């Protein structure tokens, strides 16, 4: 896998001694805060259900201002041997309604506006790398069903065309958040923040009003586009240990959805916030950010702490609260303890939606491939994927290495980062101005892509397309171009 083998587990996951304690198994008898005894590391599904039901029933008797600390104390008693403190705190946020966030009309007392603006500047200066990291992060947050199902329900990203439109809209808003002041009434960022919050309220209301069976049916895709799912699952199962019961307690909500009370919660919102900061601050050079400092990255976290606050995330559950190192620790733990085990059980809907996202991106920024994202995801999470790697076609292998070349080497050269930023921004601007004929063309292309897969899958033949040839020509041209740049540098 090349560079994947150079990324050590103790750089990406938990501290080695803690990680080893998880893999060795064993049980420890502990007494919870209410006197009940549980065997940590060996909890049955029934015991997990009892824990969550008990907490769910008791939390309403606790004063609102004391509930967070009460939950954390409870969960420390139940899960401290199989889950780090950062995730125990995050798990507590799953018991709080997503509509219970702060009043955003008043600036929080922790806001440092100069630091916030420094974070905005970094985001704009590193637009190309951060945008790629954001896309890759969606593979991570979509692995959690509760983060994916609302997208399926709204039918906003379930085809390449609708994914293209949604990503274009989202990217436009994020550009506004990075380039204008969201704290000042009347700015684009200020208005966009309010629009997103209204959208969240509407989605939350739609989910709550829908019967559980209907919600489950409408968030299940009948014909999912998932040719690589089985192969990827086998790779992940071979490369990562089975999680201990209690290590991923959020899964009890998937097994017993009635406990979730059928609503979007603070935990889901905070976990989604990870997509904009987690792998970016853990591995900035992986995304071509070779000259950024820790002070820059801390300012970037402060930017997203502020944006998370404005989007309705309670201060106590904001993923970006604390120092840079605290956010990095939270991000490492999130990847190691929750994300990697979660990849063992990703659904057909996960691959379908992520494929639509990548295919939609090709409509205006061609060059990468779905397998490129999978392989980069494998490197970031330190998951060895030999089956996925060996299944690459020659053209996709070229694409993957061009992407890596851009981030690892070309972006070090003067002007290249600026050129790549401008190229992506220009492509976005062009896409925003597509006329109706172009949109009809993309709709037809989107439908043809899905239909082609469904037809080909029935006869088990690979899909060939003219696009593959065109992209291969583009990639060889890029190899020559960046080869000349690299030779000039050295």
């Amino acid at each position: 896998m090349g560079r994947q083998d150079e990324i050590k587990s103790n750089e990406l996951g938990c501290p080695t001694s803690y990680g080893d304690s998880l893999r060795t198994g064993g049980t420890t008898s502990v007494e919870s805060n209410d006197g009940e005894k549980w065997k940590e590391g060996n909890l049955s599904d029934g015991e997990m259900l009892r824990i969550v039901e008990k907490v769910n029933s008791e939390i309403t008797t606790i004063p609102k201002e004391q509930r967070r600390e009460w939950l954390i104390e409870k969960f420390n008693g139940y899960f401290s041997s199989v889950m780090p403190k950062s995730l125990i705190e995050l798990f507590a946020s799953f018991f709080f309604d997503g509509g219970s966030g702060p009043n955003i009309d008043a600036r929080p007392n922790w806001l440092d506006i100069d630091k916030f603006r420094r974070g905005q500047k970094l985001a704009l200066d590193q637009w190309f790398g951060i945008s790629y990291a954001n896309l890759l992060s969606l593979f991570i947050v979509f692995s959690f069903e509760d983060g994916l199902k609302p997208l399926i329900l709204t039918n906003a990203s379930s085809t390449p065309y609708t994914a293209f439109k949604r990503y274009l809209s989202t990217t436009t808003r994020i550009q506004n958040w990075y380039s204008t002041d969201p704290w000042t009434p009347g700015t684009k960022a200020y208005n966009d923040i309010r629009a997103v919050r209204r959208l969240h309220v509407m989605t939350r209301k739609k989910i709550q009003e829908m019967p559980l069976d209907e919600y489950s049916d409408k968030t299940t895709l009948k014909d999912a586009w998932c040719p690589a799912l089985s192969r990827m699952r086998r790779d992940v199962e071979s490369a990562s240990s089975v999680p201990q019961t209690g290590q991923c307690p959020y899964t009890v909500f998937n097994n017993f959805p009635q406990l979730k009370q059928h609503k979007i919660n603070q935990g889901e919102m905070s976990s989604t916030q990870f997509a904009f900061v987690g792998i970016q601050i853990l591995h900035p050079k992986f995304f071509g950010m070779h000259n950024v400092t820790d002070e820059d990255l801390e300012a970037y976290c402060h930017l997203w702490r502020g944006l998370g606050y404005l989007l309705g995330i309670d201060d106590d559950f904001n993923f970006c609260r604390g120092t840079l190192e605290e956010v990095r620790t939270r991000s490492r733990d999130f990847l190691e303890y929750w994300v990697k085990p979660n990849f063992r059980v990703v659904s057909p809907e996960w691959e379908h939606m992520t494929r639509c996202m990548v295919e939609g991106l090709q409509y205006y920024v061609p060059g990468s491939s779905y397998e490129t994202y999978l392989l980069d995801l494998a490197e970031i999470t330190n998951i060895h994927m030999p089956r996925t790697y060996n299944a690459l076609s020659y053209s996709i292998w070229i694409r993957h290495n061009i992407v890596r070349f851009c981030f690892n080497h070309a972006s070090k050269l003067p002007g290249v980062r600026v050129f790549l930023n401008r190229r992506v921004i220009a492509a976005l601007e062009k896409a925003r101005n597509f006329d109706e004929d172009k949109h009809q063309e993309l709709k037809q292309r989107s439908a043809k892509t899905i239909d082609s897969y469904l037809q080909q899958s029935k006869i088990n033949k690979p899909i060939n397309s003219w696009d593959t040839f065109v992209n291969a020509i583009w990639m060889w041209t890029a190899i020559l171009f960046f080869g000349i740049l690299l030779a000039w540098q050295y």
Side-chain angles (χ1 to χ4, degrees):
M1 286 288 295
R3 191 175 174 277
Q4 175 180 323
D5 298 326
E6 299 174 14
I7 301 180
K8 306 301 183 183
S9 59
N10 64 345
E11 294 173 351
L12 287 171
C14 54
T16 304
S17 59
Y18 199 100
D20 290 343
S21 71
L22 280 183
R23 286 182 283 273
T24 56
T27 62
T28 305
S29 181
V30 299
E31 185 172 299
S32 71
N33 306 106
D34 54 9
E36 289 188 275
K37 289 189 176 181
W38 303 86
K39 290 183 178 179
E40 289 191 312
N42 195 31
L43 295 172
S44 68
D45 287 343
E47 288 172 324
M48 279 294 301
L49 177 60
R50 284 178 58 200
I51 290 173
V52 177
E53 283 181 327
K54 185 177 179 63
V55 168
N56 240 5
S57 64
E58 292 180 356
I59 191 171
T60 56
T61 67
I62 307 299
K64 286 186 177 181
E65 65 275 8
Q66 299 176 19
R67 288 179 184 177
R68 177 179 177 271
E69 294 305 320
W70 178 84
L71 274 173
I72 292 173
E73 185 180 0
K74 282 275 188 181
F75 290 157
N76 271 319
Y78 294 133
F79 306 122
S80 59
S81 71
V82 291
M83 188 167 39
K85 179 182 178 182
S86 63
L87 297 188
I88 289 175
E89 293 176 348
L90 181 57
F91 183 51
S93 64
F94 281 76
F95 289 78
F96 291 81
D97 187 355
S100 63
N103 174 13
I104 63 172
D105 291 326
R107 296 189 183 190
N109 55 16
W110 48 259
L111 179 67
D112 182 335
I113 197 64
D114 290 332
K115 196 173 185 179
F116 185 90
R117 288 170 179 158
R118 180 175 179 175
Q120 287 182 308
K121 183 178 185 304
L122 174 71
L124 291 174
D125 288 347
Q126 302 293 338
W127 178 259
F128 181 74
I130 284 178
S131 295
Y132 185 83
N134 290 349
L135 280 165
L136 191 61
S137 296
L138 291 178
F139 281 68
I140 293 172
V141 297
F142 282 1
S143 72
F144 297 90
E145 288 188 5
D146 288 333
L148 186 61
K149 285 185 175 183
L151 286 179
I152 300 174
L153 179 67
T154 57
N155 200 31
S157 305
S158 54
T159 69
Y161 176 71
T162 54
F164 150 74
K165 289 187 66 179
R166 184 180 184 88
Y167 182 70
L168 192 63
S169 172
T170 300
T171 304
T172 300
R173 282 174 171 157
I174 291 175
Q175 278 186 302
N176 290 337
W177 297 349
Y178 291 167
S179 59
T180 62
D181 184 3
W183 307 98
T184 300
T187 65
K188 289 183 178 180
Y190 181 93
N191 293 335
D192 280 346
I193 288 285
R194 269 73 186 167
V196 170
R197 290 200 65 158
R198 288 193 297 270
L199 180 63
H200 287 175
V201 170
M202 292 169 57
T203 303
R204 189 179 298 116
K205 183 178 179 181
K206 184 175 182 179
I207 291 174
Q208 288 181 256
E209 292 177 348
M210 188 174 293
L212 189 59
D213 290 344
E214 182 182 353
Y215 181 67
S216 177
D217 182 65
K218 289 189 173 182
T219 55
T220 301
L221 297 175
K222 303 301 185 291
D223 294 306
W225 181 17
C226 53
L229 186 65
S230 176
R231 182 168 56 243
M232 179 196 162
R233 278 179 176 173
R234 292 199 303 272
D235 277 340
V236 176
E237 288 171 359
S238 300
S240 60
S241 303
V242 177
Q244 293 191 44
T245 308
Q247 180 183 336
C248 308
Y250 61 87
T251 57
V252 76
F253 289 114
N254 294 334
N255 296 332
F256 305 97
Q258 65 274 20
L259 296 175
K260 187 174 176 284
Q261 299 179 350
H262 209 35
K263 62 176 71 174
I264 297 174
N265 58 54
Q266 287 281 323
E268 292 162 13
M269 295 171 67
S270 181
S271 297
T272 300
Q273 201 178 8
F274 164 89
F276 298 98
V277 295
I279 59 177
Q280 294 87 332
I281 64 171
L282 286 176
H283 302 288
K285 292 181 180 179
F286 189 83
F287 300 104
M289 296 185 281
H290 295 280
N291 299 315
V292 300
T293 65
D294 280 355
E295 289 76 17
D296 291 329
L297 295 175
E298 186 163 342
Y300 181 69
C301 288
H302 193 74
L303 163 67
W304 270 101
R305 184 182 181 186
L307 293 174
Y309 173 92
L310 289 170
L311 289 169
I313 300 176
D314 191 281
D315 276 343
D316 288 335
F317 305 130
N318 196 306
F319 197 93
C320 298
R321 69 191 184 281
T323 65
L324 174 63
E325 193 50 45
E326 287 173 329
V327 183
R328 278 177 170 161
T329 297
R330 195 173 295 126
S331 299
R332 290 191 191 100
D333 291 342
F334 185 75
L335 283 173
E336 183 69 19
Y337 289 85
W338 283 3
V339 172
K340 289 172 70 172
N342 216 36
F343 280 143
R344 300 170 63 93
V345 292
V346 287
S347 65
E349 286 79 9
W350 173 84
E351 183 176 345
H352 179 98
M353 298 294 280
T354 52
R355 275 193 180 275
C356 287
M357 176 182 69
V358 174
E359 179 65 21
L361 180 67
Q362 304 303 310
Y363 292 175
Y364 56 100
V365 187
S368 60
S369 70
Y370 186 78
E371 287 72 17
T372 290
Y373 285 89
L374 281 186
L375 293 176
D376 282 347
L377 186 66
E379 292 197 38
I380 286 297
T381 56
N382 196 36
I383 297 175
H384 190 48
M385 289 190 174
R387 297 172 184 84
T388 301
Y389 190 83
N390 292 334
L392 296 181
S393 68
Y394 187 60
S395 62
I396 290 177
W397 179 84
I398 294 172
R399 293 193 220 185
H400 175 62
N401 281 280
I402 283 184
V403 171
R404 284 293 96 226
F405 179 87
C406 286
F407 287 125
N408 295 342
H409 303 290
S411 58
K412 295 179 182 178
L413 298 173
V416 169
R417 175 173 50 81
V418 175
F419 166 77
L420 293 173
N421 287 347
R422 288 177 177 173
R423 181 177 180 273
V424 172
I425 291 172
L428 289 168
E429 187 60 31
K430 182 179 179 180
R432 292 187 192 110
N433 295 314
F434 283 166
D435 59 22
E436 184 58 30
D437 289 342
K438 183 65 174 180
H439 278 278
Q440 288 300 322
E441 175 193 329
L442 295 179
K443 284 181 183 178
Q444 293 173 8
R445 175 177 169 180
S446 174
K448 185 178 179 180
T449 299
I450 300 294
D451 290 343
S452 178
Y453 165 71
L454 294 176
Q455 292 298 321
Q456 293 289 340
S457 64
K458 292 177 181 177
I459 56 178
N460 198 28
K461 289 184 178 180
I463 300 174
N464 297 310
S465 70
W466 174 254
D467 288 342
T468 301
F469 174 74
V470 172
N471 283 330
I473 295 297
W474 178 87
M475 284 183 285
W476 279 113
T477 303
I479 285 177
L480 179 62
F481 173 72
F482 288 120
I484 293 172
L485 286 178
L486 186 62
W488 175 57
Q489 181 187 24
Y490 294 106

